[in-house]
Amino acid sequence: DGVEQAEIETVAFTVAEGVAWVSLNRPDKRNCMSPRLNRQMMRVLDELEFREDVGVLVLTGEGTAWSAGMDLKEYFRETEAQGLKGTRGAQRESYGWWRRLRWYQKPTIAMVNGWCFGGGYGPLFACDLAFAAEEAQFGLSEINWGILPGGGAAKVATELTSFRNAMYHALMGENVDGRTAAEWGFVNEALPVGALRDRVSQVAQTLLTKNPVALKATKDAIRRVREMTYDNAEDYLIRAQEAANSFDNEGRKEGIKQFIDEKSYKPGLGAYDK
Ligand code: ACO
């Protein structure tokens, strides 16, 4: 359709078997994020979020990079030249789509095929799950060109890995490969690059078998409770489930029925038949 054509320049996507495969599509520039890309990505996320044929969104990169972070020329130099208005505007656009992705209606998976630097940590954390090529390289390279890891990158590192790992990573400006990224908790798993897409497809297909209302409630709950005391979390989870019930009155009752009455599945071993 129109969006699919118009956005092809810096963001590309296809939808197949319930999965939206969205690519950062500036391979010649290692998929670094320019204001134009940030605006296009927000429009693509808008377009896909409530489509009936999209149950999971995968974010990946064309070519050798996942994302080489912010575009040093178009995002930093050229917007700074417009003064504070330009800088704040560019920040709103990039932080905006990452925030949108953190709270996306559908589960999201980062498929990190190659380089992932600096500003790339924003969308990395925004995705609910992440799988990387063993060959991929992750770096907080900000220190190498003289800034701190902003745009949430310092926060992402401390959210995902230990204090010592995050501090070493940010101060030294050394990259880690996909395997170490998995050990550190930046991603769920690292796989040989040739096996990456199949594994991500398999995870996406499993997610598609689950109750979609429960998926959204669960992904939000996991993000929200991290910042809460135990008692606040307990209360939040009661309210969140009761709110979810108003969107899905039958699903969970069906799930109980198929287990207790029909004995057609076991929730400990897989999802009920939607
Ligand atoms: N901003 C602007 N242009 C970039 C960026 C970037 N972040 N990354 C790559 N490019 C451009 C290069 O300037 C080059 O442009 P050209 O073809 O017009 O000369 C093109 O993309 C290809 O880049 P190469 O460096 O030639 O690619 P190579 O595969 O050899 O290296 C690598 C890849 C390691 C990712 C390298 O491009 C690089 O170090 N990029 C910068 C990574 C970085 O530090 N990003 C900023 C993080 S901090 C932040 O995001 C806030």
Side-chain angles (χ1 to χ4, degrees), residues 12-268:
F13 71 86
T14 58
V15 175
E17 294 177 345
V19 182
W21 298 87
V22 178
S23 304
L24 299 146
N25 188 31
R26 297 179 76 204
D28 295 349
K29 297 288 181 185
R30 304 301 179 262
N31 302 321
C32 66
M33 292 175 273
S34 61
R36 179 183 175 80
L37 180 146
N38 292 328
R39 287 192 288 273
Q40 292 190 337
M41 186 62 85
M42 183 66 111
R43 285 200 292 272
V44 167
L45 295 178
D46 268 342
E47 155 79 11
L48 293 170
E49 188 164 19
F50 293 99
R51 264 174 64 158
E52 293 281 327
D53 59 344
V54 173
V56 174
L57 183 143
V58 176
L59 183 63
T60 189
E62 294 296 326
T64 57
W66 191 65
S67 175
M70 307 322 291
D71 186 319
L72 269 49
K73 178 169 168 283
E74 294 183 36
Y75 178 86
F76 284 108
R77 187 199 278 166
E78 292 177 5
T79 59
E80 273 169 33
Q82 298 160 25
L84 191 59
K85 183 171 190 282
T87 297
R88 291 286 182 266
Q91 288 166 338
R92 264 199 310 279
E93 288 166 349
S94 55
Y95 303 173
W97 76 261
W98 306 340
R99 185 180 311 116
R100 184 66 182 282
L101 202 55
R102 285 200 300 281
W103 304 104
Y104 211 59
Q105 183 68 27
K106 312 290 170 65
T108 54
I109 306 174
M111 184 168 89
V112 184
N113 50 300
W115 304 110
C116 176
F117 286 110
Y121 284 40
L124 176 71
F125 179 63
C127 289
D128 301 318
L129 300 172
F131 296 82
E134 288 169 350
E135 300 85 346
Q137 295 281 326
F138 293 75
L140 288 181
S141 53
E142 284 89 339
I143 196 71
N144 294 339
W145 63 280
I147 69 165
L148 61 74
K155 178 67 171 163
V156 171
T158 58
E159 290 286 299
L160 295 182
T161 193
S162 71
F163 172 79
R164 292 291 176 210
N165 287 344
M167 192 65 93
Y168 187 94
H169 196 55
L171 285 176
M172 297 291 283
E174 292 174 5
N175 300 333
V176 296
D177 67 7
R179 270 179 229 251
T180 302
E183 280 166 26
W184 281 14
F186 284 177
V187 298
N188 292 93
E189 290 172 28
L191 303 100
V193 69
L196 185 59
R197 199 184 166 93
D198 280 352
R199 176 65 178 132
V200 169
S201 292
Q202 184 189 53
V203 171
Q205 290 305 318
T206 300
L207 291 170
L208 288 170
T209 68
K210 314 292 186 194
N211 178 320
V213 173
L215 285 172
K216 170 63 171 154
T218 299
K219 57 176 271 181
D220 287 2
I222 294 292
R223 286 186 188 272
R224 291 284 185 209
V225 298
R226 310 176 82 228
E227 299 174 353
M228 294 179 189
T229 62
Y230 192 95
D231 285 307
N232 285 343
E234 195 178 67
D235 191 55
Y236 166 86
L237 293 168
I238 289 170
R239 319 270 151 217
Q241 181 57 52
E242 287 171 3
N245 292 349
S246 72
F247 284 100
D248 177 48
N249 282 318
E250 296 314 314
R252 95 209 120 86
K253 292 180 188 162
E254 183 61 29
I256 294 175
K257 188 178 95 188
Q258 288 178 21
F259 177 49
I260 298 296
D261 304 327
E262 298 170 5
K263 300 193 185 303
S264 57
Y265 86 117
K266 295 178 194 293

